[in-house]
Every structure is written in structure tokens, then in C-alpha cells.
């Protein structure tokens, strides 16, 4: 009779022992700040409390009631959702179009396009934003000179400023979509694409009827990831519109929270905005994780 070796005691805890150092670091970097964020959102915590001139009192849900009763909050939330949606749609359109282009060009142009995309992706957000502001500067910007727009300030108008920021966001975000979708396209059996070509299918018809359905799991994951990134944009808006535009016309939630917490010293309201954003992004992240798991089961 063959002898069986019993599993060593404590074997179930071995993976957790290896994960313990990383979990401790994550707890310090994520759990404790989130706890403090939530705690401050329930307190009366302004400049007087920070300087010790007044006691810290518990307000309960009063900060959230004040926040939800502020019409500016709902205006900023609406602008954030619309702007994030525009960024996601534009990023997906550019990234998917270039991914298809990569499959149809030769090796050298493909390599150059990849290098250019990786350069845009690797550029720090504050650096890229500064470059875009210079390119569209009303006095010295080469784009205005090329278009013949004399003394036209892109950051003065609300919609033109949002459009300028959208250009910068798409520029630094499309490489992730392009590379991910290109990898997915390369995984499609070549026989399927060759059969579509022999049947006279156009590029758009091939993408819509064959490639898009097969790439749906990857496309959904990329979309959710883009939503998470674009919903919490801060640097591009803050740098390119000077902190939210004229009279706050280009505010998004992240910049709005910054203004409440640090410009106005209303740390409680700023924390409440942060908690609301956290809950929204947590819901999106849960959907993202569920889709990741489902995609893994399909594979």
C-alpha cells in the first residue's frame, strides 16, 4: 500500500506569511489614510481645529448634508461625469484605431509608433500638461499660429479649456488602450481575418462584426480602467486651467475637494468629497474585478 505524506501543519498560513510584508505596507499607505479621511468627514475640522484654537466636535452626517445641499457640488459632479465620459470615449476611439493600424503597417513604422506612444505614456502628467499649455498659448503657441488664431486663449472659455485638457488626457492615456487592444488583436486567429478579407469585408465591417465581439472581454476591462483613471483626474485640470478655470468653471471633483480642503481650510468638507469619490470609484472597481474574474474563467 502506498504511503501518503500528510501536509505539514500551518501550510495554509504559508502564503499569508509571504504576503504579510506587502499587506503591512498597504495597510500603512491605504487603510490608515482612508480611515482618517472617513473620520475627518464626520468631524468639525477646519483651520481653528488644526491650529488648536477650537475643540474638535463630532458632526455626524452634517458635513454630507451640507455637501449634498450645495448646488455647486452637483454641478461639479455632473461636469466630472460628462468630462470623464468624453475622455474615456475619445481615448478608446484613438487607442482602438491605432491598434488596428499597428496590425496593417510594416515593422519599422510600427516600432516608431510604439516608441512614440510609450514616450507619451511615460511622460509625467505635470510635464505633459505644461507642454500642452505652451503649444496652445495665445501669444507664443505654435498651434495658434498654425491655425491663424490670433490672441485666442483656449483656457479662457469653459468648453475650450475642457477640450484642451481632453487633448492632453487622451494623449497620455491612449497608449495603454492601444497596446492592450493590439495584443488582443494579435491573439485573434489569422484564418478568421483572412476569411473576412477574402469575403470582401471592409476594415470597419471586420472590426464591428468580427474583432469587436472577440475582443469584448478585453475592451470592457480597458473601458473600466479608463473610467477609474479619468474620473479622478487632477493634475491636468489644475495645471492647465490654473486651479479650475475662471470662477471655477472647469472644476472637477478632485480639484473641488482640493479647493475646499486646502484653499478654504474646510478639511471636513474636503474629506467628505473624498469619501464620495472613494465610494464611486469603489463601485467601479468592484465591477472591474468582477469582469477580470469572469474574463479569467472564460480563458
Amino acid at each position: 500500500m502506498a504511503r501518503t505524506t500528510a501536509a505539514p501543519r500551518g501550510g495554509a498560513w504559508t502564503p499569508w506569511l509571504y504576503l504579510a510584508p506587502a499587506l503591512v505596507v498597504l495597510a500603512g499607505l491605504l487603510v490608515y489614510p482612508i480611515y482618517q479621511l472617513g473620520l475627518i468627514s464626520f468631524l468639525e475640522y477646519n483651520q481653528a481645529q488644526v491650529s488648536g484654537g477650537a475643540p474638535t466636535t463630532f458632526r455626524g452626517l452634517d458635513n454630507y448634508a451640507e455637501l449634498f445641499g450645495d448646488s455647486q457640488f452637483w454641478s461639479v459632479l455632473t461636469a466630472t461625469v460628462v468630462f470623464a465620459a468624453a475622455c474615456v470615449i475619445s481615448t478608446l476611439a484613438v487607442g482602438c484605431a491605432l491598434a488596428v493600424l499597428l496590425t496593417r503597417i510594416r515593422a519599422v513604422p510600427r516600432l516608431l509608433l510604439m516608441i512614440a506612444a510609450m514616450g507619451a505614456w511615460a511622460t509625467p502628467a505635470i510635464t505633459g500638461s505644461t507642454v500642452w499649455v505652451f503649444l496652445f498659448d495665445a501669444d507664443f503657441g505654435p498651434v495658434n499660429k498654425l491655425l491663424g488664431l490670433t490672441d485666442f486663449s483656449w483656457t479662457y472659455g469653459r468648453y475650450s479649456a475642457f477640450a484642451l485638457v481632453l487633448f492632453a488626457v487622451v494623449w497620455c492615456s491612449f497608449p495603454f488602450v492601444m497596446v492592450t487592444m493590439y495584443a488582443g488583436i494579435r491573439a485573434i486567429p489569422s484564418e478568421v481575418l483572412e476569411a473576412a478579407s477574402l469575403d470582401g469585408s471592409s476594415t470597419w465591417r471586420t472590426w464591428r462584426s468580427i474583432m469587436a465581439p472577440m475582443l469584448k472581454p478585453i475592451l470592457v476591462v480597458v473601458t473600466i480602467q479608463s473610467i477609474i483613471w479619468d474620473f479622478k483626474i487632477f493634475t491636468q485640470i489644475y495645471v492647465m486651467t490654473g486651479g479650475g478655470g475662471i470662477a471655477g468653471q472647469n472644476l472637477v471633483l478632485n480639484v473641488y475637494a482640493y479647493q475646499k480642503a486646502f484653499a478654504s481650510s474646510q478639511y471636513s468638507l474636503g474629506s467628505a468629497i473624498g469619501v464620495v469619490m472613494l465610494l464611486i470609484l469603489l463601485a467601479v472597481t468592484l465591477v472591474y474585478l468582477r469582469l477580470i474574474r469572469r474574463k479569467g474563467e472564460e480563458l
Side-chain angles (χ1 to χ4, degrees), residues 107-194:
V108 175
R110 184 188 307 124
L111 177 62
L112 294 177
L113 179 56
M114 282 282 195
I115 293 175
M118 292 302 102
W121 198 9
T123 302
I126 189 169
T127 303
S129 301
T130 304
V131 171
W132 277 90
V133 169
F134 167 74
L135 290 176
F136 287 84
D137 184 80
D139 298 320
F140 307 103
V143 174
N144 275 19
K145 293 181 179 180
L146 182 64
L147 297 177
L149 300 176
T150 305
D151 296 331
F152 176 77
S153 177
W154 288 77
T155 58
Y156 185 80
R158 183 186 187 191
Y159 298 107
S160 60
F162 269 129
L164 181 59
V165 177
L166 185 143
F167 295 155
V169 171
V170 173
W171 173 76
C172 66
S173 301
F174 83 86
F176 169 74
V177 178
M178 182 190 75
V179 172
T180 305
M181 296 304 297
Y182 174 68
I185 293 173
R186 298 298 295 178
I188 297 176
S190 58
E191 296 82 3
V192 177
L193 300 179
E194 290 176 1

Side-chain angles (χ1 to χ4, degrees), residues 244-255:
I246 300 174
Q249 64 182 2
N250 297 111
L251 284 176
V252 293
L253 278 180
N254 246 345
V255 181

